Amino acid sequence: MVKLTEEMKTEITGLLFLATSSKDGVPNVAPMGANQFVGDKLVISDNFMKKTLDNIKENPVVAINVANCRAHPFQYKGKAEIVTDGEYFEKAKELNKVKVPGLTPKGAIVITITSIFSVKPGPDAGSLVETDD
């Protein structure tokens, strides 16, 4: 399991862009704003997802970039699962009370981050920072 710094966790829980792909390789990128860490798992509230869910069902490999990529130049890759009950879903409901009051999530996406890459411009752009492989 990769070790995320507290700064990384803070950045990821702001606005992020979640990239998914169908089993046929058709990409989808969607902004996500209701995000939090529960231990080492990233939990994203599923409030309006359609293509993202369809893609995760077919192909659980995801990539994440944060909106503030100049100040936080990392890309995260991992594996996602969809949950509609249990601890992570309850955390998503609690998060919604703060981030989007009055809206109950349909479920939650739970992501285990497996690798971190640099997206900082320069000769090291795209280089692997850390992996659990």
Side-chain angles (χ1 to χ4, degrees):
M1 177 173 9
V2 296
K3 296 291 181 195
L4 300 171
T5 66
E6 287 307 312
E7 178 186 358
M8 289 174 170
K9 286 183 175 185
T10 298
E11 285 296 324
I12 293 170
T13 56
L15 177 62
L16 63 83
F17 295 91
L18 179 64
T20 61
S21 177
S22 71
K23 66 180 177 187
D24 298 324
V26 177
N28 183 62
V29 176
M32 303 288 161
N35 324 309
Q36 67 180 321
F37 274 91
V38 177
D40 289 330
K41 305 281 187 182
L42 176 62
V43 177
I44 302 173
S45 294
D46 169 17
N47 297 314
F48 306 108
M49 296 179 199
K50 165 103 178 72
K51 286 187 266 181
T52 298
L53 290 180
D54 291 344
N55 284 353
I56 290 171
K57 289 174 186 173
E58 294 181 5
N59 176 7
V61 178
V62 299
I64 297 167
N65 271 82
V66 299
N68 189 8
C69 62
R70 289 191 190 273
H72 190 77
F74 299 102
Q75 179 191 68
Y76 304 90
K77 293 188 181 178
K79 297 229 172 156
E81 66 177 298
I82 301 164
V83 299
T84 55
D85 59 15
E87 174 190 11
Y88 297 120
F89 181 54
E90 293 303 317
K91 293 291 185 181
K93 288 196 269 186
E94 290 172 17
L95 178 64
N96 269 27
K97 288 178 185 176
V98 174
K99 294 248 184 166
V100 281
L103 186 61
T104 301
K106 300 180 295 181
I109 304 301
V110 181
I111 299 174
T112 301
I113 296 174
T114 57
S115 56
I116 304 168
F117 292 84
S118 172
V119 296
K120 186 175 183 176
D124 293 329
S127 64
L128 180 66
V129 174
E130 185 176 347
T131 187
D132 68 356
D133 292 337

